[in-house]
Amino acid sequence: MLKADFSSPNPISLGKIIPAVVILFLITVLYGSWYTVDQGERGVHLRNGKIIGTAAPGLGFKIPLIDSVVKISTQTHTANYEALQAYSRDQQPATIRASVTFSVPADRVEEVYENFKSIDSMMARLVDRQVPTQVENIFGKYTAISVVQERVKFGIDVTDAITKSINGPIVINSVQIENIDFSAAYEKSVEDRMRAEVEVQTQKQNLEKERVSAQIAVTKAQAEADSQLARSKAEAESIRIKGDAEASAIKSRAEALAQNQNLIELTKAEKWDGQLPKTMLPNGTLPFFNTNK
């Protein structure tokens, strides 16, 4: 009768297997009994899938194979939105590039894990749905020109709208409107309008320059005329004063002569050159001699 021989040429000894298993278990227990949380993170401490607390940055300990720690970032993050479509109040289409800066409060990391499991899932459910809607709504309150002129205010309005529309363990720090692209046709019309406005302003400046130049010329002519008039008045006044002086002198002399007849004779004597007349009229007398005196 044949007998099966199950013996192995190199049988594995249980005495070797058991110590190896024990060592592996000890290593697992050793490395599974502690954890670290980086600065800028918080840990959600789970026991068999149930939240039992949070872990601060640093070294912590847990029960191997039973406890686990899920790390949630509390740092500031930025989500980018490259092509948001919207229409302005005057029906101008635009493509908007925006970014949202946000963070998770350290005391709400349990809520993040409980409701969303991760930050990415939370963003997808809370923020990614609201950003396009709110940007479109706020953009529709501005005209194409006003949204460019009041870009800062537009960004503030969008930030407020997104913040009010989100209810969850997240803080919206700001919304940055990085770029607004209008259609090529609209941008060309704006360019043409701006060029026309520049030409109008240039014409206004030229007209103003000509007006100022004409005013300067008028002022100079008026000044010259005033100066000429002043000179003429001065000359006339000078002549008048001189004439008045001469008339006054003549008048005074005439009065003096009329009051003193001897002064007349003296004046004649002063003007006589000492020569007797060479021609005498019949029965004439010598001049300047008064025989009665």
Side-chain angles (χ1 to χ4, degrees), residues 193-239:
R193 184 167 61 251
M194 293 301 296
R195 186 182 296 109
E197 290 181 1
V198 170
E199 292 178 356
V200 170
Q201 292 299 323
T202 301
Q203 291 295 329
K204 288 183 178 179
Q205 291 176 358
N206 292 336
L207 290 174
E208 181 65 16
K209 183 178 180 181
E210 292 177 359
R211 187 189 68 80
V212 171
S213 297
Q215 186 64 34
I216 291 174
V218 169
T219 302
K220 290 177 65 177
Q222 185 64 41
E224 182 65 25
D226 292 343
S227 177
Q228 183 66 31
L229 179 61
R231 286 197 299 269
S232 299
K233 287 183 177 180
E235 291 177 359
E237 183 67 14
S238 176
I239 294 173

Side-chain angles (χ1 to χ4, degrees), residues 167-210:
N167 183 19
I170 185 174
V171 175
I172 302 298
N173 299 318
S174 67
V175 177
Q176 300 296 327
I177 305 300
E178 299 179 2
N179 191 39
I180 301 175
D181 284 330
F182 291 97
S183 64
Y186 176 75
E187 291 183 353
K188 186 176 185 307
S189 68
V190 172
E191 182 180 352
D192 293 340
R193 184 167 61 251
M194 293 301 296
R195 186 182 296 109
E197 290 181 1
V198 170
E199 292 178 356
V200 170
Q201 292 299 323
T202 301
Q203 291 295 329
K204 288 183 178 179
Q205 291 176 358
N206 292 336
L207 290 174
E208 181 65 16
K209 183 178 180 181
E210 292 177 359

Side-chain angles (χ1 to χ4, degrees), residues 118-136:
S118 67
I119 289 180
D120 290 341
S121 178
M122 178 186 67
M123 289 294 294
R125 290 170 58 183
L126 290 183
V127 181
D128 293 349
R129 295 179 179 181
Q130 290 296 332
V131 170
T133 300
Q134 299 305 324
V135 169
E136 183 178 5

Side-chain angles (χ1 to χ4, degrees), residues 36-256:
T36 59
V37 177
D38 293 338
Q39 194 69 39
E41 295 180 333
R42 291 295 185 275
V44 179
H45 197 164
L46 306 174
R47 179 163 294 166
N48 293 324
K50 180 181 178 181
I51 298 176
I52 62 173
T54 58
L59 178 64
F61 298 93
K62 60 185 178 64
I63 300 175
L65 305 178
I66 297 177
D67 290 355
S68 61
V69 176
V70 178
K71 299 175 183 179
I72 304 293
S73 174
T74 57
Q75 295 179 329
T76 300
H77 300 271
T78 299
N80 296 310
Y81 300 87
E82 297 295 333
L84 302 175
Q85 303 297 321
Y87 279 86
S88 64
R89 192 174 66 193
D90 51 350
Q91 298 301 309
Q92 294 298 331
T95 301
I96 303 171
R97 186 171 73 247
S99 61
V100 177
T101 302
F102 68 94
S103 61
V104 174
D107 59 348
R108 303 189 72 179
V109 293
E110 289 187 21
E111 188 177 347
V112 172
Y113 182 80
E114 181 179 357
N115 295 314
F116 307 102
K117 299 297 183 183
S118 67
I119 289 180
D120 290 341
S121 178
M122 178 186 67
M123 289 294 294
R125 290 170 58 183
L126 290 183
V127 181
D128 293 349
R129 295 179 179 181
Q130 290 296 332
V131 170
T133 300
Q134 299 305 324
V135 169
E136 183 178 5
N137 291 342
I138 300 301
F139 190 78
K141 298 179 180 180
Y142 289 80
T143 64
I145 294 179
S146 66
V147 77
V148 174
Q149 294 174 339
E150 303 177 29
R151 186 165 176 168
V152 174
K153 183 178 181 300
F154 172 63
I156 294 174
D157 291 345
V158 171
T159 301
D160 291 341
I162 293 175
T163 301
K164 292 177 181 178
S165 66
I166 295 175
N167 183 19
I170 185 174
V171 175
I172 302 298
N173 299 318
S174 67
V175 177
Q176 300 296 327
I177 305 300
E178 299 179 2
N179 191 39
I180 301 175
D181 284 330
F182 291 97
S183 64
Y186 176 75
E187 291 183 353
K188 186 176 185 307
S189 68
V190 172
E191 182 180 352
D192 293 340
R193 184 167 61 251
M194 293 301 296
R195 186 182 296 109
E197 290 181 1
V198 170
E199 292 178 356
V200 170
Q201 292 299 323
T202 301
Q203 291 295 329
K204 288 183 178 179
Q205 291 176 358
N206 292 336
L207 290 174
E208 181 65 16
K209 183 178 180 181
E210 292 177 359
R211 187 189 68 80
V212 171
S213 297
Q215 186 64 34
I216 291 174
V218 169
T219 302
K220 290 177 65 177
Q222 185 64 41
E224 182 65 25
D226 292 343
S227 177
Q228 183 66 31
L229 179 61
R231 286 197 299 269
S232 299
K233 287 183 177 180
E235 291 177 359
E237 183 67 14
S238 176
I239 294 173
R240 185 189 66 77
I241 294 173
K242 185 177 179 181
D244 289 347
E246 291 179 354
S248 178
I250 293 173
K251 180 179 179 181
S252 298
R253 188 176 182 86
E255 291 177 351

